[in-house]
Amino acid sequence: MFISLLITGFAIFVVLNVLPYFKGVGAWIDRRLPIFSFLLDHLSYYPAPKNLNIWYAFGALAMVACAIQFISGIWLVMYYTPTAEQAFSSVQLIMREVPYGWLVRYVHSTGVSLWFVVVYFHIFRGLMYGSYKTPRELLWMSGVVLLFLLMAEAYTGYVLPWGQMSFWASKVIISLFSSIPVVGNDIVVWLQGDYEVSGVTLHRFFAFHVVGFSFLILAMIFLHIIMLHSVGSNNPDGVDIMKHKDRNGWPLDAVPYYPYFVMKYIPIILLYLFVFFVIVFYAPTFFGLFLEAENFERANPLVTPLHIKPSWYLSPYYAILRSIPDKSLGALMMLMSIVLWLFLPWLDLSPVRSMRYRGWMSRTALITVVGSFVLLGYLGLQPAVGWYLVMSRVATLLYFSFFLLIPILSYYDQDYVVPDRIPER
Amino acid sequence: MFAFAVGDSLVALDAVKIDTTDQARILRGGQHFQQTCLSCHSLVDFVNDPVAKELGLSKEQMPVWPEDSWNGHPPPDLSLIALSMSPDWLFTYLRTYYVDKARPTGYNNLVYPNTNMPNPFVDMQGHQVLINPNYFDKNHAHGEQFWYRVIKLKETGRLSPAEFDDYVDDIVQFLTYVSDPSVHARRQIGPWVLGYLTLFIMVTYAYFRLVGKDYFQSPKSPPPH
Ligand code: HEM
């Protein structure tokens, strides 16, 4: 796995360093298929603000995480059988009989969770440095769509091992579609392919997981990068580097992404792989958080588990759903908890991007929404009773109040003066 | 060791220390399993494992129960039991049978109340009896009390209490291995992969510190093109 990643990295390195000088064949190919100039444009000629910090490694890490899922996923599909009778035992076949099958499966199951960790940090970076603000509105929105696709991909994948939680969690989520007016019930039947969640549903979700959402994610990442590279990266100071350019049109505060930031981020990517493999080798279930105990039991439509709970990365939304007494309204709010992020670029009225130069009001708003999200994540894994329920209602309220308050707070906040150039530190 | 999976146990779970490197103990647990459990429980996913071969376990020995046998609660396959429950749960479950005339088998259990599994250890453990019958009335929060506050050994069996704990412990070690035999390969490969990555991190980081820092100090913009 990681060997193939290293080889890929090495190949890119060689291509970048050797081929531009390799006038004959390289130039011949490039005139017909501009692959080398494409790489050059997007790595060697990409002006990256010189103050990009570790937070800016998370985008690259998200791409690494994506690659890991695709590579391990291909190997899983070779042995996995998407039928109600065979699915559960085919996973055990992979774990026990296929040589290194356990490695591939644990890499894939650890990979999802860490992909979400990375993406949540990536989003936090965007919020902290105001990366959603003009001119990066569409880039931000493509990110929100990516988050949504990632959730759909994770959810359809979670159903595939056909354990108890696969079955019951899919039942709960599918039933939410029935609260859509008029067409709700038809959608449920279409999704299930049956009047119940059954083997047909499993096969359908297999198709969505392996071909449907995964390709949409790839396409969306591609657009994400295109958008990023046409408007350029923001930076921790939120300074617009395009204002000051040299005679060649190169921003004065920028350095080429390759080799400067590649050099800086490769140790970080390796550190990510280190953490990754500590989990794979020494705590693959991660104490029941990455692989839940209930899902080691074969799906049984006759026995409802004690607590139906989602994976940790979806639990904040689940907590919102449960904190609202009305199911249809709950489903709507769950959807809104992501959709509202699409409007953030227009809700935040401050002229300043980075939290480094923003006043206490905006900072408090950010801490509140992040804090309540984390709290919701914890509560979504607990039974919805007593204090847990009360707390999840408070947290839901806090979470949504962010969207109401941010226009006001950002308008009246006392911001600091943003420097014209990236300050030296 | 903590796990998020616990059934509706009425008592707190004892902790058991799992040692996946103790091969002799895993084999011993396997032999105990063959003697006391295999008549009812299968380990279907496990049969092709080297340890299963060493124990002489085969698919033909595994019992197959129709869905409606045992009043609709046939003995389940235990290939994944240590993961779907937990080693602690197993260790406590198997040691908390007590005499209860109201049950068809004559025994009840504190960790899995009203279990349909007959007490497999009568001759080894002896009988435990309830010493705190009011415990159930008070509607305790689940798993508040330790089992020895609720039941007590009245009549010792063939094994002493310490020997019996060891016996069950062996079975739990075995079942934990059965749930995920990849543990051996993981322990073997793990240090190599992590060592290799550590080395690589050090080299690339040193390169960044030595060469990269200079670049940042005096960045060169690329030639126009
Ligand atoms: C599959 C998931 C994703 C991948 C592979 C990905 C990839 C990337 C990469 C490689 C970058 C440039 C490097 C960096 O600035 O970190 C980037 C930038 C960015 N991404 Fe993502 N991203 C993903 C998800 C998201 C999500 C969920 C959001 C927001 C909701 C988002 C918002 C942004 C923004 C605003 C930037 C520009 C940041 C700046 O210039 O300050 N991305 N993304």
Side-chain angles (χ1 to χ4, degrees):
Chain A
M1 185 78 46
F2 68 96
I3 290 178
S4 54
L5 280 173
L6 293 184
I7 293 173
T8 320
F10 187 69
I12 292 177
F13 181 83
V14 169
V15 164
L16 282 172
N17 276 286
V18 178
L19 274 168
Y21 307 103
F22 199 76
K23 295 282 190 294
V25 182
W28 187 90
I29 296 176
D30 204 66
R31 251 176 276 125
R32 288 151 182 86
L33 174 71
I35 177 112
F36 303 122
S37 25
F38 178 85
L39 283 176
L40 276 175
D41 275 350
H42 288 273
L43 289 166
S44 294
Y45 289 97
Y46 180 65
K50 65 181 184 186
N51 61 340
L52 294 190
N53 55 15
I54 293 200
W55 288 101
Y56 277 77
F58 283 100
L61 284 176
M63 302 231 281
V64 170
C66 180
I68 291 177
Q69 290 315 92
F70 268 85
I71 298 168
S72 54
I74 290 171
W75 259 265
L76 286 178
V77 175
M78 291 179 195
Y79 296 95
Y80 170 80
T81 317
T83 62
E85 297 74 30
Q86 294 285 307
F88 192 84
S89 32
S90 72
V91 173
Q92 284 311 308
L93 183 87
I94 293 169
M95 291 298 291
R96 293 163 192 264
E97 322 263 310
V98 176
Y100 293 99
W102 57 268
L103 180 62
V104 178
R105 203 259 174 141
Y106 279 152
V107 162
H108 203 73
S109 63
T110 309
V112 214
S113 279
L114 290 188
W115 194 356
F116 270 98
V117 171
V118 163
V119 165
Y120 282 141
F121 276 112
H122 185 69
I123 298 175
F124 178 66
R125 183 281 318 266
L127 294 174
M128 195 164 52
Y129 298 144
S131 299
Y132 48 85
K133 294 179 86 72
T134 185
R136 297 182 186 81
E137 299 94 330
L138 282 184
L139 169 61
W140 169 260
M141 290 169 89
S142 75
V144 177
V145 173
L146 261 175
L147 175 66
F148 188 80
L149 289 175
L150 196 57
M151 287 164 58
E153 177 77 353
Y155 163 64
T156 49
Y158 190 71
V159 174
L160 302 184
W162 210 236
Q164 267 293 64
M165 217 35 85
S166 301
F167 180 85
W168 290 94
S170 66
K171 223 175 151 85
V172 169
I173 303 293
I174 289 180
S175 77
L176 293 180
F177 287 90
S178 67
S179 53
I180 300 174
V182 190
V183 288
N185 287 326
D186 291 335
I187 292 182
V188 169
V189 174
W190 179 75
L191 278 175
Q192 288 174 176
D194 201 340
Y195 294 102
E196 299 284 334
V197 171
S198 70
V200 187
T201 321
L202 173 63
H203 219 138
R204 214 154 262 224
F205 275 39
F206 178 67
F208 290 146
H209 183 75
V210 174
V211 190
F213 291 124
S214 64
F215 271 81
L216 286 176
I217 286 179
L218 276 192
M220 214 59 207
I221 291 179
F222 185 72
L223 291 182
H224 196 65
I225 302 300
I226 297 279
M227 288 187 225
L228 174 77
H229 282 208
S230 63
V231 292
S233 289
N234 182 30
N235 59 76
D237 285 298
V239 171
D240 189 353
I241 61 165
M242 297 302 174
K243 275 203 239 152
H244 299 278
K245 294 183 178 169
D246 67 11
R247 265 183 298 131
N248 300 325
W250 183 264
L252 290 173
D253 280 331
V255 290
Y257 194 84
Y258 177 88
Y260 304 106
F261 283 107
V262 173
M263 222 187 300
K264 182 169 179 171
Y265 291 153
I266 279 183
I268 296 174
I269 291 171
L270 290 170
L271 193 66
Y272 171 78
L273 291 180
F274 186 88
V275 174
F276 196 108
F277 281 106
V278 168
I279 295 172
V280 165
F281 287 119
Y282 296 100
T285 65
F286 209 69
F287 314 106
L289 270 181
F290 288 6
L291 286 169
E292 291 87 349
E294 293 86 342
N295 229 20
F296 286 109
E297 220 169 299
R298 192 186 290 268
N300 185 345
L302 302 176
V303 180
T304 321
L306 238 51
H307 308 294
I308 299 182
K309 55 177 203 248
S311 319
W312 71 266
Y313 41 78
L314 300 181
S315 66
Y317 319 103
Y318 188 60
I320 291 175
L321 171 73
R322 287 190 310 182
S323 71
I324 292 164
D326 180 72
K327 195 174 128 187
S328 311
L329 190 64
L332 183 69
M333 290 317 271
M334 188 165 141
L335 186 66
M336 290 314 274
S337 69
I338 301 161
V339 171
L340 282 175
W341 288 110
L342 287 172
F343 303 107
L344 182 64
W346 296 278
L347 291 175
D348 182 350
L349 301 175
S350 168
V352 176
R353 290 199 186 92
S354 171
M355 283 293 158
R356 284 189 181 170
Y357 302 103
R358 294 183 61 168
W360 64 269
M361 290 192 212
S362 306
R363 292 181 189 184
T364 313
L366 176 62
I367 292 170
T368 313
V369 74
V370 173
S372 57
F373 187 75
V374 173
L375 187 62
L376 283 168
Y378 168 76
L379 294 167
L381 297 176
Q382 310 303 324
V385 288
W387 275 107
Y388 287 136
L389 189 59
V390 177
M391 272 174 12
S392 62
R393 292 197 168 136
V394 173
T396 303
L397 222 67
L398 281 176
Y399 181 82
F400 284 107
S401 69
F402 173 81
F403 298 97
L404 282 177
L405 291 178
I406 194 70
I408 305 165
L409 293 179
S410 60
Y411 187 77
Y412 288 107
D413 207 0
Q414 293 289 312
D415 294 327
Y416 301 88
V417 178
V418 183
D420 204 36
R421 296 273 309 267
I422 288 175
E424 296 295 338
R425 261 165 237 278
Chain B
M1 158 141 214
F2 70 104
F4 287 103
V6 214
D8 37 3
S9 171
L10 297 176
V11 289
L13 299 182
D14 289 349
V16 59
K17 203 174 170 312
I18 297 298
D19 179 4
T20 48
T21 56
D22 193 342
Q23 190 72 5
R25 186 154 202 194
I26 291 171
L27 283 171
R28 201 159 65 229
Q31 283 154 5
H32 298 340
F33 186 91
Q34 285 174 306
Q35 285 159 14
T36 25
C37 320
L38 191 60
S39 55
C40 297
H41 291 286
S42 60
L43 295 175
V44 172
D45 294 328
F46 187 62
V47 285
N48 290 327
D49 193 86
V51 169
K53 297 250 159 67
E54 199 164 335
L55 288 166
L57 279 172
S58 67
K59 192 128 194 167
E60 292 73 50
Q61 298 172 338
M62 307 273 163
V64 182
W65 300 103
E67 285 283 323
D68 53 356
S69 58
W70 295 81
N71 289 325
H73 295 279
D77 184 89
L78 295 182
S79 305
L80 286 165
I81 192 72
L83 281 169
S84 67
M85 299 312 283
S86 73
D88 293 355
W89 185 89
L90 276 173
F91 187 56
T92 320
Y93 170 49
L94 294 174
R95 285 153 57 252
T96 52
Y97 274 95
Y98 62 93
V99 176
D100 182 353
K101 289 275 155 351
R103 297 292 305 160
T105 61
Y107 290 89
N108 207 334
N109 191 285
L110 287 179
V111 171
Y112 188 170
N114 299 339
T115 176
N116 286 296
M117 168 156 115
N119 183 353
F121 302 119
V122 183
D123 65 320
M124 289 175 228
Q125 185 187 25
H127 307 288
Q128 297 184 121
V129 293
L130 216 52
I131 53 169
N132 188 356
N134 301 332
Y135 184 66
F136 307 113
D137 305 337
K138 287 207 207 110
N139 195 11
H140 286 274
H142 286 341
E144 183 183 277
Q145 201 66 273
F146 280 104
W147 59 269
Y148 45 78
R149 297 289 176 81
V150 188
I151 55 175
K152 195 176 121 229
L153 192 63
K154 189 164 161 229
E155 203 179 304
T156 316
R158 189 150 53 73
L159 301 178
S160 74
E163 282 171 341
F164 176 69
D165 276 4
D166 257 5
Y167 186 89
V168 175
D169 200 335
D170 291 348
I171 295 181
V172 174
Q173 304 284 342
F174 170 70
L175 286 175
T176 306
Y177 171 75
V178 170
S179 288
D180 184 6
S182 80
V183 66
H184 282 171
R186 285 193 276 124
R187 294 289 137 97
Q188 223 166 33
I189 307 171
W192 291 98
V193 173
L194 297 180
Y196 177 69
L197 280 171
T198 312
L199 197 74
F200 220 61
I201 291 169
M202 288 188 327
V203 170
T204 51
Y205 185 66
Y207 185 76
F208 166 66
R209 295 291 297 199
L210 295 175
V211 183
K213 273 275 145 79
D214 281 357
Y215 275 113
F216 275 99
Q217 240 96 71
S218 53
K220 297 184 287 269
S221 59
H225 79 132

